[in-house]
Amino acid sequence: MIDENFARLRTRRGNIQRYRHLLETSLTDFEREFVSKRLAEELSALEMLSATMPTRPF
């Protein structure tokens, strides 16, 4: 289960990186709005997933 959650985290981070890169390119207003919305959704999902991950004491 933990390995699946780490895979989900990696996927979300990859999507976030891709969307941020896309926003640095030339997009139409419609495309920019779509990508911005998807980025916000990915950030929210990453935050929720991160909150469920166990923490290790150091």
Side-chain angles (χ1 to χ4, degrees):
M1 181 66 144
I2 290 176
D3 289 339
E4 291 174 12
N5 285 341
F6 281 122
R8 287 183 182 111
L9 282 172
R10 280 193 306 275
T11 300
R12 297 288 183 191
R13 287 183 182 139
N15 290 343
I16 290 167
Q17 186 175 26
R18 184 172 51 255
Y19 292 139
R20 285 182 174 157
H21 176 73
L22 279 171
L23 289 174
E24 294 174 359
T25 65
S26 177
L27 300 172
T28 65
D29 290 340
F30 178 77
E31 291 169 329
R32 185 166 302 282
E33 184 178 329
F34 177 82
V35 172
S36 294
K37 181 178 177 184
R38 293 293 301 145
L39 176 59
E41 290 170 356
E42 289 291 339
L43 287 167
S44 177
L46 178 67
E47 186 176 321
M48 288 190 307
L49 185 57
S50 295
T52 65
M53 296 294 291
T55 58
R56 279 192 277 170
F58 292 98

